[in-house]
Amino acid sequence: SFEGPSDSNDYLCLRNKVFTYDPRVYVNNVVDLMESLRDKYGNSIELMTDIHERVDPADAAYVIKQLEAVNMFFVEDAVSPEQGEWLRNVRSQCVTPLALGELFVNSTEWLPLVKDRLLDFIRVHPSMIGGITGAKKCAAVCEAFGVRTAFHGPLDMSPIGHVAQIHIDLAVPNFGIQEFYGAVSEATTEMFPGSPICKDGKLLLANEKPGLGIEFDEKIAAKYPPKTGATGWTEMRLPDGSLHTP
């Protein structure tokens, strides 16, 4: 029950577009969806779902418990950061792996959850928690508690950020998985020489140049001016028209 755009450019900048989302539809259907995928593909693929904090915590706990039999790789953002204590209830009922953290901005938010082993994957956005140094410190703490990395890599992040994250991935022993929005466009690789390459589900560094190995060409970027307008996903609404979590 999600009315969305057809491509990433439309997704990021839309005018006069209403996004609607019904939490009950998700709760009532996601388990059947995951079970169907598991039945069709067996264990040849890993399965994940992003609740995106868009259902009530009790409903999130119900879904996660039902998904235990599906053998998920992880369930992401079951609750908002301020409702992290709900993860303790989930942990007491099932062993479905949990991922959280893309909204965290300092260690006081993720450290209690990691210390109490309420997470399996840390989803922090490195540029929000201190850059490469902050992310490596976070990964080191997480390693001590058996938590793997799954850094936040959304489609509105530049290739520079993605390359930085790949370097961190290669440097930490508890790497888990790297989020990536898909194939890099020709325009992007033209603007950012050294952008990562996605092949067969794997992210590859394009070169071995010093530093991060990626550059930014401002002259070429001038050919692609940014779009203006409302960012569609920040105006997510429930069926009754009220605003919901982005």
Side-chain angles (χ1 to χ4, degrees):
S1 157
F2 173 72
E3 180 187 356
S6 59
D7 60 53
S8 59
N9 289 330
D10 289 339
Y11 183 74
L12 290 175
C13 294
L14 287 173
R15 296 174 185 266
N16 303 319
K17 182 73 174 180
V18 176
F19 290 79
T20 60
Y21 179 80
D22 189 338
R24 295 305 304 170
V25 172
Y26 175 85
V27 171
N28 293 334
N29 289 279
V30 67
V31 176
D32 287 342
L33 172 62
M34 293 296 122
E35 288 177 344
S36 296
L37 290 171
R38 183 61 75 204
D39 288 342
K40 181 175 182 178
Y41 295 102
N43 292 319
S44 64
I45 63 171
E46 299 288 1
L47 297 177
M48 293 164 273
T49 184
D50 184 0
I51 294 179
H52 220 288
E53 313 157 25
R54 289 182 179 147
V55 304
D56 293 334
D59 285 336
Y62 168 80
V63 167
I64 295 169
K65 185 176 180 180
Q66 299 303 310
L67 287 173
E68 183 176 29
V70 184
N71 188 25
M72 302 289 291
F73 190 77
F74 65 57
V75 173
E76 178 184 349
D77 286 352
V79 296
S80 60
E82 58 268 26
Q83 297 294 340
E85 190 64 23
W86 269 92
L87 299 180
R88 196 178 306 279
N89 296 341
V90 174
R91 268 289 197 254
S92 67
Q93 300 181 54
C94 68
V95 295
T96 300
L98 304 174
L100 188 74
E102 66 185 55
L103 298 180
F104 293 159
V105 296
N106 64 73
S107 59
T108 63
E109 295 173 301
W110 54 261
L111 186 57
L113 301 179
V114 170
K115 178 180 66 68
D116 291 347
R117 293 178 170 82
L118 302 181
L119 296 180
D120 299 277
F121 293 86
I122 187 71
R123 289 272 297 134
V124 292
H125 194 98
S127 64
M128 292 171 59
I129 62 163
I132 292 176
T133 299
K136 285 198 65 180
K137 289 181 178 179
C138 175
V141 173
C142 288
E143 181 193 4
F145 291 93
V147 175
R148 290 186 283 172
T149 64
F151 293 137
H152 184 224
L155 57 84
D156 55 349
M157 187 172 81
S158 80
I160 296 174
H162 279 292
V163 169
Q165 290 191 12
I166 295 172
H167 278 272
I168 302 170
D169 295 337
L170 294 171
V172 298
N174 53 325
F175 167 71
I177 194 170
Q178 176 62 55
E179 181 178 23
F180 188 65
Y181 52 78
V184 178
S185 68
E186 292 183 9
T188 298
T189 55
E190 188 180 8
M191 279 186 285
F192 296 92
S195 293
I197 297 173
C198 186
K199 184 177 181 181
D200 299 327
K202 299 178 182 179
L203 275 174
L204 309 174
L205 291 177
N207 59 68
E208 297 182 0
K209 293 181 179 179
L212 294 179
I214 187 170
E215 300 175 3
F216 175 57
D217 192 318
E218 294 186 33
K219 292 183 179 180
I220 294 178
K223 298 191 306 183
Y224 306 97
K227 294 183 179 181
T228 59
T231 303
W233 59 266
T234 65
E235 299 182 3
M236 187 72 66
R237 293 180 180 274
L238 296 173
D240 63 5
S242 59
L243 284 170
H244 202 266
T245 302

